[in-house]
Amino acid sequence: MGNVTLPTPVFLAGGALCLLAGYLVGSVVGPDTPERTTAQVVSFDSRSSRLCLMGDAIADQEGVDAEGELCGTLRRTPNAKQPTKGDDFRFVSVRTSGTVNGQTQQQVVIYGDVVD
């Protein structure tokens, strides 16, 4: 048996095609990324980090209450602007649930920042 070698440009082109195919397959088959949405701040309590949002963007979010507000615990970077009533707020929310002392408890965590 003899060795078969490919010319360098053919080898590089094949490698580039493999990388491109992997990227395309990953973007089609891979998990969805969360959509960042924008809503308006109804209230924010800095002591408890409780944030309430309202607007059309929260209609499909899990955890919206009967008044049409999404309230939860805000997680943000230390130097981020503190939200105030009426601010536009871009966010991603996550609703979690777990069992504590035999009782199911649910919590909404909101990640985001004020839109300048």
Side-chain angles (χ1 to χ4, degrees), residues 33-108:
T33 57
E35 288 188 32
R36 294 178 62 92
T37 54
T38 304
Q40 288 72 43
V41 176
V42 175
S43 63
F44 177 65
D45 182 2
S46 60
R47 291 184 307 274
S48 64
S49 294
R50 183 153 177 86
L51 175 69
C52 291
L53 302 171
M54 65 178 249
D56 295 336
I58 65 162
D60 297 331
Q61 301 289 322
E62 291 186 32
V64 175
D65 64 15
E67 289 85 36
E69 294 181 1
L70 176 66
C71 295
T73 304
L74 175 62
R75 298 287 185 239
R76 62 191 180 112
T77 57
N79 294 332
K81 181 179 175 185
Q82 183 169 324
T84 57
K85 184 175 181 174
D87 283 344
D88 287 334
F89 195 84
R90 181 163 291 153
F91 70 98
V92 173
S93 66
V94 178
R95 184 177 182 186
T96 61
S97 64
T99 304
V100 177
N101 297 329
Q103 296 179 349
T104 301
Q105 295 184 351
Q106 296 181 343
Q107 176 182 3
V108 175

Side-chain angles (χ1 to χ4, degrees), residues 3-15:
N3 288 341
V4 177
T5 58
L6 291 173
T8 302
V10 172
F11 178 75
L12 293 176

